[in-house]
């Protein structure tokens, strides 16, 4: 079983990767769960239908009583209405500030459960048990949030989990599209961290369908990148911003289509292509590298063409609501080269030009 | 102008008391407000109608642009719906993580604004400008929250304000009932801190209508008690629990009648009488002291009789949802004597007996 530690202001917690992670309910996390007066699993519909018995069985083996709350799958789980109904669920089941939550599902389930845990009676502990590849990113780092009609992740807290338990065999049942979504964030971690790693992924013939063994190795590398950045800058005043690579445009596209219509990672893949185009001017990225990335994205099945239909102005409105906006100026994460990110303020005009350029390059790539 | 400092994990902030506190927008808080890309005043209807121009004028003099969001008065402001609508308001006005909020109103307005600030884009700074005596308590200490249909303050965060500005002349327009409500929390601070201070308040002929000068002095003493406890135990793992003196029964009564039907402080006054009765058994409080307290409460105009109508069982259901409950056991803050609080687990049976006793004593006091 792989294990790495995330250090934060309020202490550290562990991220575990492997087939036996749920055995930790009987060991590493037994005290936390036994001392809780109530335990709830917040499972999304998808994970609940496919895998709930696995986590239930492990909790039962550890003699831990629990209740299960099944929530809608996808981004619907992150509405204000769902957030409030979860709080009512806990109160109606007599949960207290000594209770513990377990998030069992995709990234959206973890974000919602984390925000419920952050704010129920001003904060209770929670465990992250992600069931998707994408959640390897969101489950680590303590960013919790819900969406507003006006934008994604607009309301939330920093609330670190008590532990993160990854069980890679759960990823076997993921649809192709969900795998692509998760692997986009993995690719982002490579782009931020390491040129060689980036190159090896670009050359990977089976991306995004890595074998379970290879996936476990790659995920652990991705989480390590995330954990190191979070430890340096938990509250995103500095280097943590780099994790938003591809997210300013990506989130705008996601919001434009309506959350859930296109997958998060697919949008981020397009957002990274956009950042690479901007990085040609502001950094040292070559047009050749951007082209290889776009070809790789097409070859890996990312639906890059969807973007070609969207006009710039509606996306701009969403980008202006982005949390990275400061005094009306848009700040983007760009790359000097893979492994060396930086932030850059960019004018609306330049953003629009780069967007036109992106459309042209995507057409070439098709 | 009186000033005292509250020390917390993420740094310290100041509480200012005096007629010129809003001049600080041009000095102590000028940098915070000028560096913000947007500033909003969240004012409750009551404070907005009576006093808004005072704070607006000071901000204008300091050349600080702002928008005003008027919210319902009283506990209605603390509904989940109001919370979500405030988040939408900020997004629709293009607020960002570099914006600042100002809470201008009663304690409920501060609680709501603080929780919006705690969670808007995962946290932005806010200033507390309380307009009621009661808010001298809630504005200091960083407890923010909204109510749920199932109970009061059930969802919230710890989020310390950037500063707290008290302007005692605003309290002149408070209705008698609101003054009584605020002075109950002041009395609580005396009971927790100091026997002599408690005695002097019990003998005060003008309670709860102290002169502005005397009120300023007493409030500063009350805030000092609160600030010292918060500095010792920001997240309520220890001594901060003592601030809940009178609140377990008090909140239950408030919830039973529906928030806003009876005032918070009035309920706390009854809750303190109940705690004194329990303290006769578990602490060193004399029945004579409790009697003097009850007489004082009647003489000061607290509507103690309302309680005599309520049955125990419905209150018990609310008490069990209290955040102080641990593994189904109810924990109360009691007093060895004034100035020496402690916590005590008490059985449901004993709670019910003490409640019957309270009803009898209240009848005697009438």
């Amino acid at each position: 079983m792989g294990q790495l530690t995330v250090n934060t202001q309020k202490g550290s917690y562990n991220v575990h990767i492997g087939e036996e992670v749920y055995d930790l309910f009987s060991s590493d996390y037994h005290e936390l769960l036994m001392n809780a007066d109530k335990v709830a699993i917040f499972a999304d519909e998808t994970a609940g239908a496919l895998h709930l018995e696995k986590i239930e069985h492990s909790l039962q083996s550890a003699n831990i009583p629990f209740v299960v709350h099944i929530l809608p799958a996808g981004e619907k789980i992150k509405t204000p209405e769902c957030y409030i109904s979860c709080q009512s669920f806990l109160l109606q089941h007599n949960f207290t500030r000594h209770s513990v939550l377990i998030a069992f599902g995709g990234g959206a389930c973890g974000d919602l459960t984390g925000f419920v845990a952050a704010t129920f009676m001003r904060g209770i502990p929670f465990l992250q048990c992600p069931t998707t590849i994408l959640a390897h990113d969101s489950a680590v780092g303590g960013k919790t949030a819900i969406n507003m009609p006006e934008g994604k992740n607009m309301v939330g807290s920093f609330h670190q989990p008590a532990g993160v338990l990854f069980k890679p065999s759960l990823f076997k049942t993921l649809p192709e599209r969900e795998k692509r979504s998760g692997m986009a964030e993995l690719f982002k971690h490579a782009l931020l961290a390491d040129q060689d790693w980036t190159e090896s992924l670009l050359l990977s013939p089976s991306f995004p369908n890595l074998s379970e063994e290879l996936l476990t190795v790659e995920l652990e590398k991705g989480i390590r990148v995330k954990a190191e950045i979070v430890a340096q800058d938990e509250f995103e005043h500095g280097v943590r911003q780099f994790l938003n690579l591809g997210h300013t445009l990506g989130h705008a596209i996601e919001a434009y289509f309506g959350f859930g219509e296109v997958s998060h990672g697919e949008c981020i893949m397009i957002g990274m292509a956009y950042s690479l185009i901007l990085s040609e001017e502001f950094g040292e990225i070559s047009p050749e590298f951007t082209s290889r990335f776009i070809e790789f994205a097409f070859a890996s099945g990312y639906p890059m063409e969807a973007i070609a239909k969207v006009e710039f102005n509606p996306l701009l409105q969403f980008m202006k609501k982005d949390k990275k906006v400061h005094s009306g100026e848009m700040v983007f994460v760009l790359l000097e080269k893979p492994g060396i990110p930086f932030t850059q303020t960019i004018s609306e005009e330049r953003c629009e030009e780069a967007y036109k350029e992106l459309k042209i390059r995507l057409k070439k790539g098709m």
Side-chain angles (χ1 to χ4, degrees), chain A residues 137-314:
Chain A
D137 181 44
S138 57
V140 177
K143 275 195 183 181
T144 73
I146 56 172
N147 300 331
M148 292 288 293
E150 294 85 0
K152 200 173 149 70
N153 292 328
M154 286 295 152
V155 174
S157 287
F158 289 98
H159 189 55
Q160 302 292 341
V164 185
L165 312 181
F166 275 97
K167 190 174 163 71
S169 68
L170 299 185
F171 305 153
K172 276 184 211 158
T173 54
L174 292 176
E176 285 301 298
R177 194 175 174 203
E178 183 57 46
K179 284 184 193 164
R180 280 197 299 274
S181 184
M183 294 305 278
E185 290 283 3
L186 181 74
F187 197 91
K188 183 196 76 178
H189 289 139
L191 264 182
L192 287 174
D194 189 328
Q195 186 144 19
D196 291 346
W197 182 18
T198 303
E199 291 292 342
S200 78
L201 287 177
L202 282 175
L203 294 171
S204 160
S206 57
F207 195 94
N209 285 297
L210 307 186
S211 68
E212 199 175 309
E213 274 184 340
L214 194 54
L215 180 62
T216 305
V217 173
E218 295 289 349
L219 275 181
E220 197 171 329
K221 279 157 78 176
I223 293 167
R224 203 169 292 277
V225 172
K226 176 79 181 260
E228 279 167 14
I229 290 178
V230 170
Q232 278 180 62
D233 176 27
E234 188 173 348
F235 301 110
E236 196 167 332
H237 301 125
V239 294
R240 186 162 183 172
Q241 297 175 63
F242 295 152
L243 293 169
N244 293 314
L245 178 68
H247 280 61
T248 308
L249 184 72
H251 273 168
I253 294 170
E254 216 176 344
Y256 174 84
F257 280 104
F259 304 120
E261 290 295 306
V262 284
S263 85
H264 176 70
E266 287 169 348
C267 295
I268 298 317
M269 205 69 175
I270 296 166
M272 286 193 280
Y274 182 69
S275 297
L276 289 176
I277 288 170
L278 286 167
S279 300
E280 291 172 16
E281 179 179 342
F282 296 96
E284 306 278 310
I285 293 290
S286 68
E288 182 269 337
F289 182 84
T290 308
S291 295
R292 279 169 60 212
F293 175 81
I294 290 174
E295 278 163 32
F296 165 79
F298 275 105
S300 304
Y302 288 87
M304 307 293 274
E305 59 279 14
I307 186 100
K309 297 172 203 152
V310 189
E311 293 301 312
F312 180 70
N313 270 325

